[in-house]
Amino acid sequence: RKEPLPFLCRESLSPMGYTIDQLTFYAPAIPHLQQVALLDTAGTSIEGMQVKFSQYITAPFGGTFMVHPTKVCVLLTLQGSELLVTTYRRKDQEGAKDENGFISIPDSQVTDVIRSEEGTFTVFMPGEPFSYGIQGEEGPTKVKHLLIVLDES
């Protein structure tokens, strides 16, 4: 039997840090972690949210951000450590959406860097560009995380 994950919150998260009590509001996947753990990369829809599991090796930042114009996104790191970066919101954040509703922003300046470690989460508000999967000073590492996109309610 596996022990429950030790969910931590960094008070210094930029742009916003949240307490554990607030995590269940922003990420209702938490009570469903056993079900979510069985996900493949195709993802699933669970009670008002889209959940996608990813595992990969971190790499240098490729210069492209993603933004969801209308939904809150929660990135929950299950294993490993990676850097997340954000950039300024731009008026030209319109364009073709991918199958998950995200718009790519290929050329913008990094404004904040966040270290996401096992058991931590970061909330990105609608219209807030971000990128993940970026290696830190330690070099490439294996990461597993959930990207949770909350449906409008």
Side-chain angles (χ1 to χ4, degrees):
R1 184 176 147 206
K2 291 186 176 181
E3 293 297 315
L5 292 172
F7 291 100
L8 306 173
C9 177
R10 300 178 145 220
E11 291 302 321
S12 62
L13 283 180
S14 176
M16 303 176 97
Y18 293 96
T19 66
I20 298 303
D21 292 338
Q22 292 166 318
L23 175 59
T24 55
F25 173 76
Y26 284 105
I30 301 308
H32 304 282
L33 278 180
Q34 295 295 350
Q35 181 182 356
V36 169
L38 302 175
L39 290 179
D40 58 18
T41 56
T44 191
S45 191
I46 302 172
E47 294 185 25
M49 62 192 150
Q50 298 295 317
V51 182
K52 184 172 182 181
F53 171 79
S54 296
Q55 66 179 2
Y56 48 83
I57 303 294
T58 57
F61 180 49
T64 301
F65 294 88
M66 58 194 282
V67 61
H68 202 294
T70 61
K71 297 184 180 183
V72 172
C73 300
V74 179
L75 191 121
L76 176 61
T77 303
L78 302 172
Q79 176 185 327
S81 174
E82 66 184 319
L83 298 180
L84 314 174
V85 294
T86 62
T87 189
Y88 296 109
R89 294 174 191 236
R90 296 175 10 177
K91 292 181 181 179
D92 65 344
Q93 287 182 172
E94 296 181 3
K97 294 179 183 175
D98 68 12
E99 65 277 1
N100 297 310
F102 286 94
I103 299 169
S104 290
I105 300 174
D107 58 351
S108 194
Q109 176 184 352
V110 171
T111 57
D112 288 301
V113 178
I114 303 161
R115 175 167 293 281
S116 183
E117 297 173 338
E118 185 172 322
T120 63
F121 68 98
T122 307
V123 176
F124 298 99
M125 302 311 280
E128 185 174 11
F130 64 96
S131 186
Y132 59 83
I134 303 162
Q135 73 184 35
E137 293 177 0
E138 70 279 3
T141 60
K142 183 177 180 180
V143 173
K144 292 181 182 180
H145 78 221
L146 297 176
L147 178 61
I148 303 163
V149 179
L150 303 179
D151 292 338
E152 292 97 349
S153 54

